[in-house]
Amino acid sequence: MLTTEAAKAAIAKAMPDFGSEAVAYTSAAGRVLRQAVVAERDQPPFDRVTMDGIAVSFDALSRGVASFRIAGTQHAGDPVLTLSDDMSCIEVMTGAVLPAGSDCVIPVERISLTNGSVDIEPGYRAERHQFVHPQGSDHRQGTEVISPGAILTPAEIAIVASCGLTSVEVGKAPVVRVISTGNELVPPGEPILQHQIRSSNGPALVAMLKGQGFRDCRHEHLRDDPDALRIEIARHLAEAQVMILSGGVSMGQADFVPQVLADLGVATIFHKISQRPGKPMWFGIGKEGQAVFALPGNPVSTLVCCRHYVLPALLDACGRNEHAVEWAVLTEEVTFKADLTFFMPVRLHNDVDGTLRAHPVPTNTSGDFTALGGTDGYVELAREQSYFAQGSPVLLHRWSLP
């Protein structure tokens, strides 16, 4: 039985590269960048005014000049004007090009206008280059401003647009199919009997995957019938690059999934991980390179395994860079049976000193998915120890990856 670290390494080694595709920058949010984005121009591309007011020559101010004739107005987006003499000024607006011949901006709050001339507030002391954002001070033309492997957030989309790109190369999102198994499952909206339960794992997995940008993701429920499973799983393997199954993977009489996958030529990479919840997890690779994840059917196990193994594997296969490890401090002691890595759901809050604190939210068995409501993720408690004191720093995994 593999450790959690060995399971992740085995998945990473076996996963295919999904390749890349060009998409419009307006549709690239959440995708993994597969190219370098370089600056189209200096940023800012000109000396930029950062305050409404007047642009003047600082040399005139240093000689004691405090009254200037208005020679024009420079709005943002206007071609650059030129200050012809240092006894004149040009009215400027925030975002405008600094007029040629000027090197100082006096805020509008510090001036008064009278009959086409401007008087500076008595006693006001200015500095050369004040309220001027110098050309190229953010970065120079040709600078790499986003590196391959970044997940494109709204901030990165703004940068892409500022570089004049209409499309970017991103990791190609795989076709994903989600299958939940079990005779007891009934979808919402259909009549349900006392001995049945609602189908929740499939919708939860689809929501988790789509929340990370995997849009071509569909769910199907199958009964615990080996022949039906073999036919339907074969059909999905023919069209999908990634298959995620929930249920039928443990040691019960109706746990047919591992044998059905073997019958279809899916090579087993591993079966079982030394963790709780989610110990029976299975992973393999299909004949055409499809990644197949078979997750335990208990809802908490399903969600934890998807978040801990499936999502990182898919993002990495799309070209994502490694992300920083996050830590939090336990708000209370935790005791558990050792020998299995323990994933404990938590709610998070920050103290006034900035410390991120994790409040344990124990579940009433791995079927208690309602306990996950309002949680922010889970902490990873090492299998080598069974007691974690209040205040212990622990590895944190949020439900949504950064």
Side-chain angles (χ1 to χ4, degrees):
M1 184 163 51
L2 297 183
T3 64
T4 56
E5 296 82 3
K8 280 202 163 190
I11 293 171
K13 183 178 180 180
M15 284 293 292
D17 184 331
F18 298 134
S20 62
E21 62 181 345
V23 300
Y25 78 98
T26 52
S27 302
R31 304 292 292 273
V32 179
L33 185 68
R34 295 295 291 263
Q35 69 171 78
V37 174
V38 299
E40 178 186 35
R41 302 188 295 166
D42 290 349
Q43 179 59 31
F46 46 78
D47 288 340
R48 176 178 170 273
V49 173
T50 64
M51 182 74 70
D52 293 344
I54 58 170
V56 299
S57 165
F58 182 78
D59 289 340
L61 296 175
S62 64
R63 297 197 310 270
V65 178
S67 183
F68 297 88
R69 178 182 58 83
I70 298 174
T73 301
Q74 181 88 62
H75 291 276
D78 286 351
V80 62
L81 299 178
T82 298
L83 191 64
S84 57
D85 63 84
D86 62 8
M87 296 301 293
S88 300
C89 69
I90 294 177
E91 292 180 299
V92 290
M93 311 300 161
T94 301
V97 180
L98 182 71
S102 66
D103 56 2
C104 179
V105 174
I106 310 298
V108 68
E109 295 85 357
R110 301 294 189 175
I111 62 175
S112 58
L113 288 80
T114 307
N115 297 325
S117 66
V118 173
D119 295 313
I120 298 175
E121 176 184 289
Y124 178 74
R125 298 181 65 84
E127 296 181 2
R128 194 186 299 272
H129 305 306
Q130 72 176 15
F131 303 119
V132 177
H133 188 183
Q135 178 177 343
S137 58
D138 293 351
H139 56 252
R140 290 294 183 182
Q141 180 182 16
T143 301
E144 184 175 300
V145 288
I146 315 179
S147 299
I151 295 180
L152 295 170
T153 69
E156 278 79 22
I157 296 299
I159 296 170
V160 168
S162 75
C163 292
L165 298 177
T166 59
S167 66
V168 285
E169 199 76 13
V170 297
K172 191 171 184 178
V175 176
V176 182
R177 294 296 175 259
V178 175
I179 296 174
S180 54
T181 65
N183 296 343
E184 74 278 18
L185 302 180
V186 177
E190 293 188 7
I192 190 166
L193 301 176
Q194 180 65 30
H195 60 278
Q196 298 175 318
I197 62 174
R198 291 296 184 191
S199 177
S200 61
N201 286 355
L205 290 173
V206 170
M208 184 176 279
L209 291 158
K210 288 189 174 182
Q212 296 289 164
F214 298 103
R215 302 298 181 190
D216 192 351
C217 180
R218 295 204 304 267
H219 167 246
E220 182 178 357
H221 166 233
L222 299 177
R223 294 180 61 80
D224 290 322
D225 177 279
D227 294 332
L229 286 169
R230 195 174 293 109
I231 292 169
E232 291 303 311
I233 290 175
R235 180 172 63 84
H236 287 299
L237 282 172
E239 67 179 24
Q241 295 161 285
V242 177
M243 179 175 291
I244 305 167
L245 298 105
S246 171
V249 74
S250 191
M251 303 295 291
Q253 293 184 4
D255 290 323
F256 303 120
V257 166
Q259 184 58 54
V260 167
L261 292 171
D263 294 344
L264 295 173
V266 181
T268 302
I269 303 299
F270 65 78
H271 189 186
K272 295 185 181 179
I273 308 172
S274 58
Q275 67 180 49
R276 180 164 63 91
K279 179 180 174 182
M281 179 174 162
W282 186 100
F283 172 71
I285 297 294
K287 291 187 291 185
E288 303 300 325
Q290 308 97 320
V292 181
F293 299 85
L295 315 182
N298 281 326
V300 179
S301 302
T302 297
L303 290 179
V304 166
C305 287
C306 185
R307 164 57 184 85
H308 203 73
Y309 300 104
V310 181
L311 286 183
L314 298 192
L315 288 170
D316 291 348
C318 289
R320 179 188 68 151
N321 286 334
E322 291 187 11
H323 64 282
V325 174
E326 192 172 11
W327 295 80
V329 173
L330 290 174
T331 60
E332 58 187 72
E333 66 177 28
V334 175
T335 303
F336 69 99
K337 185 177 179 180
D339 297 330
L340 293 175
T341 299
F342 185 30
F343 295 132
M344 168 71 79
V346 293
R347 289 193 301 270
L348 302 174
H349 73 269
N350 284 95
D351 282 350
V352 292
D353 65 358
T355 302
L356 182 61
R357 299 200 178 275
H359 177 74
V361 182
T363 60
N364 184 23
T365 78
S366 58
D368 181 17
F369 61 93
T370 56
L372 299 182
T375 60
D376 299 288
Y378 56 92
V379 293
E380 181 175 348
L381 306 180
R383 66 193 183 100
E384 291 81 10
Q385 64 185 93
S386 59
Y387 174 75
F388 289 79
Q390 178 182 351
S392 298
V394 288
L395 277 171
L396 170 67
H397 305 281
R398 298 176 188 264
W399 291 124
S400 294
L401 277 76

